[in-house]
Amino acid sequence: MNTNFNTFKIQDALDALGVKDINLGTSTGANSFGNGPTLDSFSPVDGQKIGSVVCTSQADYEAVMTAATAAFPEWRTMPAPQRGEIVRQFGNKLRDLKEPLGKLVSYEMGKSLQEGYGEVQEMIDICDFAVGLSRQLNGQTIPSERPGHVMREQWHPIGVVGIISAFNFPVAVWAWNTALAWICGDVCVWKGSEKAPLCSIACQNIIAEILKENKLPEGISSIINGDYTVGEMMTADTRVPLVSATGSTRMGRIVGATVAQRFGKSLLELGGNNAIIITPTADLKVVVPGAIFGAVGTCGQRCTSTRRLIIHESVYDKVRDAIVGAYGQLTIGNPLDEKNHIGPLIDHDSVNTYLAAIEKAKAEGGNVLVDGGVLEGEGYESGCYVKPAIIEAENHFEIVQHETFAPILYLMKYTGAVENAIQKQNGVAQGLSSAIMTNELKEAEKFLSYSGSDCGIANVNIGTSGAEIGGAFGGEKETGGGRESGSDAWKVYMRRQTNTINYSDELPLAQGIKFDL
């Protein structure tokens, strides 16, 4: 396997981002501290230790929350366009540091270098979106039934927003949340993934510098480090009115129940079990790259990764052969080498889950078309590199009904009308992303209709993976129902207030009620 480690030095990227290869702890603004246990970060690329962070103790967490709650009154009273100016500066700093941050994302998480750069670009894009939005946090005027009255609706900052992000997008999902929360007037406390802690420290360093230059409270942005127990401090904290959590459905059930118990709000972005429907009129030039990138991009570790291909029986053999043939051209190896299509899984636990899923599919009657397995030898020393697998399966298989965060693609047939394929696609517990490949207008419209895809994202002639920040991102059913990023997703980070103003000399009551004294 060819690598480019001779020209890439992770320490250069860490130095550019102000992340020293020493113990780093809980952070509010520019200050780092920590009294908890040490957490080591290992790269799945080569198995090497990158650095260590000190996890957040209860006392550390209290210090973070003190800084955050103290910063909120000043930040929320700053005019929204001025908050947008801070986000603009943050976005520009990301432009300057796109290369080292993208490399750190790639090396610490294991996604391809192109995807690492793309993730930072998503951060830049959401900053641009948020800057424009900072002048458009609009309410509305509502006609009143009473003469001399007017009703208005306005939006106010909600307070401290807690953000829990997953390893597969270690920086972008935080930016989706925090850029919008900041322009809304909220302050943020972020628990990044314990599998990619240096990425969160790098991002914190960037925004801390911006806040310091503008003489703003460092508690506007804070991070906490550690495993799920650190996240539990935040989900149970009544000082955090909104918790935005990205991760597994299992995690979401716990977070959602905990936050709801204290009458907080939660924004949940959970698992996906995404399918592409391939109809008789589908264009293979679109089908093959869309399906394959969706299935193997980020080594199958996207919540929008393609898990199922539902193919019409009349074109099944042709599509199957094209997909299988294309898999033979994929290259697996060091993700920092842009000639490789696929990098490693995040860790050995993920490898074991991947292997168990393949065996489960076989046991349920699946037919393996492309063998999986763990790669060994030079360049694969981390033990996290696996082969993407293709398995013919049925939608009702138990393993197919669950999301496996790995490059396993299930192929299945449908017969008759497209409604039969839509029924199969919807026949899982998750509802994030979906797609149809067709050149038939009626089929496309049926797929997008109220009786079509039940997912939060429904695409025509593109794959399930690769959302733009302009549209609201999220899904239904066990995906959690949350929405992040574009459209009007900003509203979740604010509280709605209805105002009624009486500018007359009388006091008429609503619904014509009379109350004479």
Side-chain angles (χ1 to χ4, degrees):
M1 181 189 69
N2 294 323
T3 68
N4 64 351
F5 275 116
N6 291 333
T7 58
F8 171 75
K9 295 177 181 172
I10 185 61
Q11 194 60 49
D12 291 343
L14 294 172
D15 289 344
L17 297 165
V19 180
K20 297 180 175 60
D21 192 10
I22 59 173
N23 286 350
L24 297 158
T26 298
S27 179
T28 59
N31 298 324
S32 294
F33 54 89
N35 297 297
T38 298
L39 172 67
D40 295 330
S41 176
F42 291 89
S43 171
V45 174
D46 55 10
Q48 296 299 307
K49 178 180 172 180
I50 312 173
S52 301
V53 301
V54 180
C55 296
T56 301
S57 67
Q58 185 66 51
D60 299 331
Y61 176 77
E62 288 301 322
V64 166
M65 286 303 301
T66 297
T69 53
F72 177 55
E74 178 178 345
W75 183 240
R76 71 180 174 186
T77 55
M78 179 184 289
Q82 292 183 25
R83 298 193 295 261
E85 167 59 18
I86 302 304
V87 175
R88 186 192 67 81
Q89 293 177 31
F90 179 56
N92 284 345
K93 199 68 173 178
L94 290 172
R95 286 179 170 87
D96 295 338
L97 296 171
K98 180 177 178 178
E99 182 176 355
L101 185 55
K103 285 182 176 178
L104 177 58
V105 168
S106 179
Y107 186 61
E108 189 172 31
M109 185 268 149
K111 64 175 57 177
S112 75
L113 187 57
Q114 289 188 64
E115 292 182 85
Y117 291 150
E119 185 166 347
V120 182
Q121 187 60 50
E122 282 193 51
M123 301 175 75
I124 295 168
D125 292 345
I126 196 64
C127 285
D128 288 349
F129 181 88
V131 171
L133 188 63
S134 68
R135 295 180 180 271
Q136 300 179 67
L137 301 175
N138 301 321
Q140 59 180 329
T141 300
I142 305 166
S144 172
E145 67 183 58
R146 288 170 282 183
H149 286 58
V150 63
M151 288 193 294
R152 295 174 186 159
E153 184 178 85
Q154 59 180 340
W155 297 84
H156 297 294
I158 199 170
V160 180
V161 173
I163 302 167
I164 301 172
S165 62
F167 73 86
N168 58 333
F169 281 85
V171 296
V173 170
W174 167 71
W176 284 5
N177 283 273
T178 201
L180 296 187
W182 282 338
I183 62 102
C184 289
D186 301 321
V187 299
C188 298
V189 177
W190 176 26
K191 182 205 170 297
S193 171
E194 62 268 32
K195 297 181 181 182
L198 299 182
C199 285
S200 60
I201 289 173
C203 292
Q204 179 64 20
N205 286 348
I206 297 170
I207 186 58
E209 182 180 343
I210 299 296
L211 295 175
K212 185 177 181 180
E213 289 173 353
N214 288 272
K215 296 180 173 57
L216 289 168
E218 57 187 16
I220 290 169
S221 179
S222 306
I223 63 172
I224 53 179
N225 300 313
D227 61 13
Y228 72 94
T229 59
V230 176
E232 287 177 343
M233 298 178 194
M234 189 160 58
T235 57
D237 193 339
T238 57
R239 294 169 294 182
V240 184
L242 170 66
V243 175
S244 175
T246 302
S248 67
T249 298
R250 180 193 61 80
M251 179 273 288
R253 292 187 195 279
I254 297 170
V255 171
T258 302
V259 175
Q261 191 172 23
R262 60 177 176 83
F263 298 106
K265 296 200 300 182
S266 58
L267 192 169
L268 301 176
E269 296 288 358
L270 311 176
N273 195 347
N274 316 296
I276 300 177
I277 296 170
I278 301 172
T279 71
T281 64
D283 185 344
L284 275 183
K285 295 193 301 294
V286 176
V287 168
V288 172
I292 293 179
F293 175 73
V296 306
T298 322
C299 201
Q301 297 172 115
R302 292 183 175 216
C303 52
T304 55
S305 290
T306 304
R307 311 291 178 196
R308 299 172 292 146
L309 295 186
I310 303 170
I311 309 166
H312 193 270
E313 61 176 351
S314 66
V315 293
Y316 182 85
D317 291 350
K318 180 173 66 173
V319 173
R320 177 199 61 204
D321 293 347
I323 297 290
V324 170
Y327 264 53
Q329 303 173 43
L330 295 172
T331 57
I332 308 167
N334 166 25
L336 295 162
D337 185 340
E338 296 192 51
K339 291 181 291 186
N340 290 323
H341 299 102
I342 307 167
L345 289 173
I346 186 65
D347 56 23
H348 294 153
D349 287 342
S350 293
V351 172
N352 292 335
T353 298
Y354 153 86
L355 293 172
I358 292 174
E359 293 306 312
K360 175 71 171 173
K362 290 178 183 178
E364 292 193 69
N367 177 38
V368 177
L369 299 176
V370 176
D371 284 327
V374 181
L375 294 169
E376 299 177 347
E378 183 182 356
Y380 302 126
E381 290 85 358
S382 70
C384 294
Y385 291 89
V386 302
K387 294 184 287 185
I390 301 178
I391 303 174
E392 291 180 311
E394 297 295 336
N395 204 56
H396 66 264
F397 285 3
E398 183 181 2
I399 191 62
V400 175
Q401 289 287 312
H402 292 85
E403 177 188 46
T404 301
F405 231 48
I408 302 173
L409 180 63
Y410 300 110
L411 270 57
M412 58 195 71
K413 294 179 184 178
Y414 79 94
T415 60
V418 73
E419 287 88 347
N420 297 329
I422 295 171
Q423 184 177 19
K424 278 182 182 284
Q425 181 220 274
N426 293 347
V428 294
Q430 308 82 4
L432 179 53
S433 188
S434 59
I436 188 171
M437 301 289 187
T438 181
N439 284 325
E440 175 62 55
L441 177 62
K442 290 181 180 179
E443 289 181 330
E445 290 297 340
K446 286 178 180 178
F447 177 74
L448 299 175
S449 73
Y450 61 87
S451 58
S453 170
D454 64 1
C455 297
I457 299 169
N459 299 326
V460 177
N461 291 330
I462 63 171
T464 62
S465 191
E468 299 180 31
I469 60 93
F473 179 88
E476 301 301 322
K477 301 190 293 188
E478 288 191 0
T479 302
R483 292 297 186 274
E484 295 171 324
S485 192
S487 185
D488 64 349
W490 61 271
K491 292 180 178 179
V492 75
Y493 305 96
M494 305 195 84
R495 60 181 177 87
R496 187 193 308 250
Q497 185 180 81
T498 301
N499 311 134
T500 304
I501 302 98
N502 178 5
Y503 59 89
S504 72
D505 296 325
E506 307 294 333
L507 186 62
L509 301 179
Q511 296 86 46
I513 294 174
K514 301 295 184 183
F515 189 74
D516 297 325
L517 295 175

